[in-house]
Each structure stands twice: as structure tokens, then as C-alpha cells.
Amino acid sequence: MTVMLSACALAAAIRSGDMTPAEVAARCAAAIAEREEEIRAFAILDLEALQAQARHPGLAGLPLAGLPVGVKDVFDTVGFPTSYGSRVYCRHRPSADATVVRMIARAGGLVAGKTSTTEFAFTAPATTRNPHRTAHTPGGSSSGSAAAVAAGMVPLAIGSQTAGSIIRPASYCGVTGYKPSFKLIPMLGSKTFSWSLDTIGLFAAGVADVAFGASAITGRPLAIDPAARPPRLAIVRTSRAGSASPDADAALNAAMRAAERARASLREVTLPPEVETADDAHAIVQAYEAALALADEWDRHRDLLSPQLVAYLEQAMTVTPEAYDAARRTARLARHAFTDLVEGFDAVLTYSAPGEAPVGLASTGSSIFNRLWTLLGAPCINVAGSTGASGLPIGVQIVGRFGRDRTALTAAAFVEKAIRAA
């Protein structure tokens, strides 16, 4: 059975002298050698360079302590080709690192390789497989990042979410996924799909691990609050609850019972129409911006785009500026209404995904339980620990108020502990 690597535990071991960064890099390299051919989590690797960098002195004193990090292949890297999952960029070598890549390097993280992504972080699948059952999708678009963590290849990986591309693959692969508040981590140096939605996030073994990684990279105080009281949780199923499978319902109900036993305060809440209508607005905002963000690829390299993306962009170009502006107004009103709704709660507890990872690799699954929260810019965390009827992982989602990421992470850690104790 694969054992995921705890970023917190490995960093502590390095700082105490029980391990060296080189030993951690060697452990990651061994796991990659063992499973990469089967999982295909990486678009490109350089394990020799990783192990050479891990021997540099002084890493133990930096925030990430020399831990290997997987970086989704939508972020520019000088040291690796960056293809954005597209044939258009198969020979692309950026001249500068993305801002988040520099932030990782300054914090003492070592880029192990570029993790596989769907084409331009949209829906045409990568070749990555689910580490728990390789005939099933790992989710997307951050397919490789979620799978690499789940397979014990790296303790941390960076992904991005425009609709559900962190939370859904985290749920499918049984790892923790954290999508921060919008713009908490700068997207500069990434391939844009939707500038109002694209958000950088992290994958790791547990909630404390993503909080540690985010704190180390950003310099912000995001570590779990050890003195926090049991959280006040709003249970939100949304008007799309009918799309949840029995497995998703069972996971959410089990998380509710576990949290209640651990003395959390729970109350079912119905989203007001002002918030619910924003779910439809997400598609309009994404489509309008994607049609512009990929204008050059459409005009010059349409023959190299996947049929899925061509069909999507053809439809996206029919969205008018008036419809886009109206959708943005809907989103703005929804953000205010959501803030008012959750006043008095620490976080929302809801579905992460409709169910277990679907069988087959032709689709990355549905973002039906993610896109609203992405549009609102809210911090979201997939809390792992449950399984569906067939034994595949299925998570539950914590959603916080914009800018209250530490509170959301702390609530997620509470729910995670409660699930494990159940």
C-alpha cells in the first residue's frame, strides 16, 4: 500500500537532523521510479538535478527545508519545458519562472518536475491515471499533481483551479487539496484560461501539510490554529444536491456525524437565490475570458487544438460582452450575499465531488460541486478520509469566507481529525 509523504513530518525531520534533503529527494526518486510508468503523473522529470540541488547547504533553515515539489505544467519554468498540456507548445522553453515557482525556490523548495495537466487546464484529459485504481480518472485539470502526492512521489504539489481542478482530483485521489482565496498566490507566469477564476492551490497528504506548504511559500500565517474552539459549520447541499451519488451523500453525512461527535456546531443552510444563480454565471465568465485568453492559439494554431477545446471555444465566442458584464454583476452580488449568509459560521461543509472517481480516462469528471465556490473566490479544502462503496476515495469540502483562509484550514483540520477518529 502506498504511503503518502507528510510535508510537515519531513520538514521537521530535516530540521532535527534525522534526515537530510538529499535523503528525502532519494526517497521521492525511488517512489517515482517505482510508480511513474504506471501512473504517468509527470510531463517531465529531472531526478538527477533534484538530487544535486538537494545537496546544497543551508536548505534545512529555509521554510520548505529542501522538500521536493511537483509543479503543474501550466506554470512557466526556466529549468523545464512548459507545454501547458498542448501540442501548440510542445517545444516551448520559457525565459522566466512563474512567480509561484520563484516563491517555491526562495522558500527552499526543489522542483522535482512538471506534473501533467489537461490541455490548457481545460477538459481534454492528460495520460495520468488514478493511483488507487488505474482504470479510473484521477480528475483534472491538476491530474498529475494530485496523483503524484497520492502515489507518495512528492510531499507537495502545485495545481490550479478554474472550476474544480484542485478539489475534484483531490477527492478522487484521496489527498488534501487546498484552493486559497482568489489571488492569495499570484498567477503571474501561468497560462491563463480565465483571469477572473484561475487560482493557484496545493496538494498534500493532510490539512496541516497544505497549510504548512502555503505558509512557507507565501509567508502568511496559515498554519492550523491549535487553540481554536470546535468550529461552527453551515451544511450546504446546494440546489444541485440531486447530482450527488449515494457515496457522496454517505461521505457528507458521515463527516457531519463525526464533526458533531467532536462537538462542532452544525446547522443546515439553504443558499439564497442571489448565491444560487451565480452557479450559471460561472460558465459565462469562464467562456468569455477563455475565448480571449486563447485567441492567439485559436487564430494561429487551431489545427493543433483538441476537438473538445475547439467545440468549447466555438461556443464561447458567442458570449456577448453584455452577457459577460451581467454575469460579473451576478457574481459580485453573490459574493456579498454569501458573506452575509455565513456570518456567524466558521466555514461551510459540503460535497467535494459527485462521487468516486469515474471509470475510464476519457473524462476528468464533473465540477458541479466546485464552480460556484471558485466564482465566489472562497478558500476551499478537500478533506480526505472517506471511501465509497467500491473502495475508492471520496472527500468532503470545507468552504470558507474570502480572506479567512486560516479559519477555513483550521475547520478542515478539525473535520479531518473527526473523520479519522470515527
Side-chain angles (χ1 to χ4, degrees):
M1 179 180 176
T2 299
V3 177
M4 290 190 285
L5 305 175
S6 166
C8 290
L10 290 174
I14 290 170
R15 292 198 177 99
S16 70
D18 291 339
M19 293 187 76
T20 65
E23 288 172 332
V24 174
R27 183 172 173 180
C28 291
I32 290 168
E34 181 181 351
R35 299 210 66 190
E36 173 57 15
E37 185 176 350
E38 174 191 27
I39 304 303
R40 304 176 190 176
F42 286 90
I44 189 165
L45 284 159
D46 190 341
L47 297 180
E48 288 186 6
L50 171 68
Q51 294 180 83
Q53 292 171 39
R55 292 192 288 271
H56 289 177
L59 289 172
L62 295 174
L64 283 175
L67 294 183
V69 181
V71 173
K72 184 178 179 178
D73 195 27
V74 295
F75 299 107
D76 290 346
T77 44
V78 172
F80 296 92
T82 302
S83 72
Y84 314 124
S86 168
R87 291 188 295 160
V88 176
Y89 292 93
C90 62
R91 296 180 180 87
H92 180 50
R93 294 298 301 242
S95 59
D97 282 335
T99 299
V100 69
V101 175
R102 281 292 90 209
M103 293 168 77
I104 290 167
R106 289 178 175 182
L110 309 178
V111 177
K114 303 300 288 294
T115 55
S116 295
T117 176
T118 62
E119 177 193 33
F120 296 125
F122 187 53
T123 59
T127 59
T128 308
R129 300 168 178 176
N130 193 309
H132 295 274
R133 202 171 294 160
T134 56
H136 292 245
T137 180
S141 61
S142 304
S143 318
S145 291
V149 169
M153 296 177 179
V154 288
L156 288 169
I158 302 300
S160 64
Q161 178 159 309
T162 305
S165 297
I166 291 172
I167 300 302
R168 184 174 74 259
S171 180
Y172 287 171
C173 291
V175 303
T176 303
Y178 164 43
K179 183 204 78 66
S181 292
F182 183 60
K183 290 187 177 179
L184 186 88
I185 304 175
M187 288 289 297
L188 298 170
S190 68
K191 182 59 180 172
T192 298
F193 195 84
S194 171
W195 56 86
S196 296
L197 301 170
D198 296 347
T199 309
I200 294 177
L202 291 86
F203 296 90
V207 177
D209 298 303
V210 292
F212 160 77
S215 297
I217 291 168
T218 66
R220 296 173 180 272
L222 297 171
I224 306 306
D225 181 359
R229 51 166 171 66
R232 299 159 297 174
L233 300 174
I235 309 303
V236 174
R237 299 179 190 270
T238 80
S239 63
R240 294 161 293 286
S243 296
S245 68
D247 285 333
D249 277 323
L252 182 58
N253 290 334
M256 291 166 55
R257 290 192 300 270
E260 204 160 34
R261 282 195 298 270
R263 301 193 176 179
S265 169
L266 278 66
R267 182 157 64 89
E268 293 262 1
V269 172
T270 300
L271 294 179
E274 299 94 321
V275 179
E276 284 285 12
T277 54
D279 188 69
D280 292 333
H282 176 279
I284 297 169
V285 170
Q286 177 181 281
Y288 183 86
E289 294 185 353
L292 292 176
L294 297 176
D296 188 81
E297 290 81 3
W298 177 265
D299 290 346
R300 301 176 193 273
H301 306 289
R302 198 177 315 172
D303 59 320
L304 296 178
L305 304 180
S306 70
Q308 297 100 308
L309 185 56
V310 168
Y312 177 78
L313 291 176
E314 284 177 338
Q315 183 63 35
M317 285 184 285
T318 68
V319 178
T320 65
E322 292 77 15
Y324 172 65
D325 291 344
R328 291 180 67 203
R329 287 193 293 271
T330 297
R332 185 167 59 251
L333 291 172
R335 291 183 191 114
H336 292 306
F338 178 70
T339 298
D340 293 341
L341 178 74
V342 296
E343 186 70 38
F345 294 99
D346 296 302
V348 163
L349 177 61
T350 187
Y351 304 108
S352 280
E356 295 177 309
V359 68
L361 303 176
S363 167
T364 59
S366 170
S367 62
I368 193 168
F369 292 120
N370 314 121
R371 59 199 182 210
L372 172 62
W373 313 121
T374 305
L375 183 72
L376 298 182
C380 304
I381 304 102
N382 176 69
V383 180
S386 298
T387 54
S390 81
L392 284 174
I394 183 167
V396 293
Q397 184 173 196
I398 287 288
V399 180
R401 291 175 60 183
F402 178 82
R404 305 287 180 87
D405 289 56
R406 191 187 188 201
T407 300
L409 286 162
T410 299
F414 178 94
V415 173
E416 177 187 64
K417 183 179 179 181
I419 290 172
R420 290 175 177 175

